[in-house]
Amino acid sequence: YAFDHGAWFEVVLSTFEAFLRLENIHDIYIMRHFLIYTFCSLGLLCFYLLLKRLHFSPLIVWTVTIMALLSPRILADSYNNSKDLVFLSLIAIGMNFYSLYILRPNKLTLILHSVICGLSVGHRVIAIIIIPISLISIFFHGKHYLKLKIPDALKISVSHAALSFAVFIISMPYLWSNPIVRIPKVIFTHKNFPWYGNVFFDGR
């Protein structure tokens, strides 16, 4: 029923559950909380490194990082929300690798950014907008800052987009049989997200 959600992170959690041979529901919950919080902590670390790389003052870097860490909703969800907070962390990790590539262009940072982009889209399809934005940005970076010829800059940017898209497809099994038809279906479902719960806010 949740075909429009990526499966790869849940596969990771389920793999740990099977590997550790957990059967008690309490133990499974604790394991999931631990892994989700560990991943979100990695995202927070990448956010901190990104702020440092942008040459903000140490006061601003630490203030913003601590605000992100102690934000009540983020802090609470970083233990149990394997969707939104994992997605937020993926964006932070991806931006961190992208900034590394811009400062020190090499194949490893580009591949890492491509993989994170693909996993981000595979986790929340709205992130698909990152792929064309990255393609254009990497092309102009190669052309203007690395002084590459247009075919070479285009080759790098298209390779990045192709790898990101491939990781996206691999990380979302629902798309395997017919990605051309099913990608628009997933996007449309997220556009009109079927959620019927209630949000408690301001006493109501």
Side-chain angles (χ1 to χ4, degrees), residues 75-95:
L75 182 61
D77 279 17
S78 63
Y79 283 95
N80 55 36
N81 192 329
S82 61
K83 297 185 291 183
D84 303 310
L85 261 293
V86 169
F87 180 61
L88 180 66
S89 300
L90 280 167
I91 297 300
I93 295 168
M95 289 300 296

Side-chain angles (χ1 to χ4, degrees), residues 55-69:
H55 302 293
F56 289 116
S57 70
L59 177 62
I60 292 177
V61 170
W62 279 107
T63 300
V64 173
T65 302
I66 291 172
M67 287 175 67
L69 172 65

Side-chain angles (χ1 to χ4, degrees), residues 8-33:
W8 70 267
F9 193 76
E10 291 298 327
V11 169
V12 171
L13 297 178
S14 299
T15 301
F16 271 89
E17 180 183 331
F19 178 75
L20 297 173
R21 298 180 179 178
L22 301 178
E23 296 181 358
N24 182 283
I25 193 68
H26 175 267
D27 295 337
I28 293 172
Y29 265 94
I30 295 300
M31 179 273 297
R32 288 176 65 95
H33 288 335

Side-chain angles (χ1 to χ4, degrees), residues 91-107:
I91 297 300
I93 295 168
M95 289 300 296
N96 184 58
F97 283 128
Y98 179 74
S99 66
L100 277 174
Y101 174 75
I102 294 299
L103 294 174
R104 294 187 292 275
N106 59 62
K107 288 183 179 180

Side-chain angles (χ1 to χ4, degrees), residues 4 25 174 186:
D4 53 328
I25 193 68
Y174 174 72
V186 170

Side-chain angles (χ1 to χ4, degrees), residues 32-51:
R32 288 176 65 95
H33 288 335
F34 176 76
L35 291 179
I36 293 169
Y37 187 75
T38 299
F39 190 85
C40 291
S41 296
L42 176 61
L44 185 68
L45 174 63
C46 287
F47 180 61
Y48 165 79
L49 294 173
L50 177 63
L51 292 173

